[in-house]
Amino acid sequence: MKKHTWLIGLVVMMVLFVSCFAFWRQACIERTKMVDLCQGSVCRSLESFKEYSAKGDNYLYIYGVAEFRSFMDAYRYLNDNPNDPEYLYCNIIYGEMALNAEKVQANMQGVIEALAILAEDYTDPNGYIRLNELGNLLRYGEE
C-alpha cells in the first residue's frame, strides 16, 4: 500500500510540474507577443504620422492615432502599473490627439521625433520625456 501511495504522489507531482511549466511557457510566449505588438504599434504609428506630414491625408492621421492607442494598451499590459508616469505621458498625448487634432497636427514634427525614439526601443525613457514635453506644450502652450 505504501508503494502505491508513493507512486501516486510521484505521478501527481510530475503532472503539477508539467502543468506549471506549460503555464510558465505560455506566459513567456504571450509576453513576447505583447512586446512585438507594443514595438510594432509604435512603429506603424510613426510611419503613419510621417506619411501624414508628407501627404496631409486625414485618414493617415487617424490611423496613426489608432496605432498609438494600440501601443499604449500593449505598454500598459506589459507594465501593469496604472500610475506609471510613462503611460500617463502617453495618455496626455493621446487625449490631445483625439480632442485637439489641429494642435497636434501643427506640432507633428515633435510627435514624429518622440515616436522615432520609441520606435527604436519602446522602453527608452528619453522618448517618454519628449512626449511629456510635447504634452505640456500642447496643453499649456500658446493658444
Side-chain angles (χ1 to χ4, degrees):
M1 186 68 170
K2 287 184 179 181
K3 189 174 186 182
H4 291 291
T5 305
W6 182 81
L7 187 58
I8 291 172
L10 181 62
V11 169
V12 168
M13 291 292 284
M14 288 183 68
V15 168
L16 286 174
F17 174 76
V18 170
S19 297
C20 288
F21 179 76
F23 288 134
W24 173 77
R25 184 68 185 131
Q26 185 62 34
C28 290
I29 291 170
E30 189 169 314
R31 178 165 174 77
T32 302
K33 287 180 180 179
M34 289 306 287
V35 167
D36 290 345
L37 175 64
C38 190
Q39 197 69 48
S41 293
V42 76
C43 289
R44 286 187 298 273
S45 181
L46 173 63
E47 290 306 313
S48 182
F49 287 143
K50 282 181 180 178
E51 285 185 45
Y52 171 78
S53 291
K55 297 178 183 176
D57 293 333
N58 204 30
Y59 75 91
L60 291 169
Y61 175 78
I62 293 169
Y63 181 76
V65 173
E67 284 295 338
F68 187 75
R69 181 61 197 193
S70 178
F71 158 70
M72 287 175 52
D73 290 341
Y75 181 83
R76 186 166 190 183
Y77 176 84
L78 289 169
N79 291 317
D80 195 31
N81 181 3
N83 297 325
D84 186 11
E86 285 86 3
Y87 180 78
L88 296 176
Y89 301 154
C90 291
N91 202 24
I92 290 169
I93 292 295
Y94 176 71
E96 293 296 323
M97 287 176 176
L99 299 175
N100 297 318
E102 298 83 22
K103 279 186 175 181
V104 175
Q105 291 167 353
N107 292 292
M108 189 54 68
Q109 190 57 39
V111 174
I112 290 171
E113 289 170 1
L115 292 181
I117 296 169
L118 295 174
E120 289 184 27
D121 179 13
Y122 79 93
T123 62
D124 190 346
N126 293 321
Y128 296 102
I129 291 170
R130 295 291 290 270
L131 285 178
N132 184 34
E133 291 170 353
L134 183 62
N136 288 334
L137 174 70
L138 293 172
R139 289 177 81 192
Y140 306 114
E142 297 178 40
E143 295 289 322

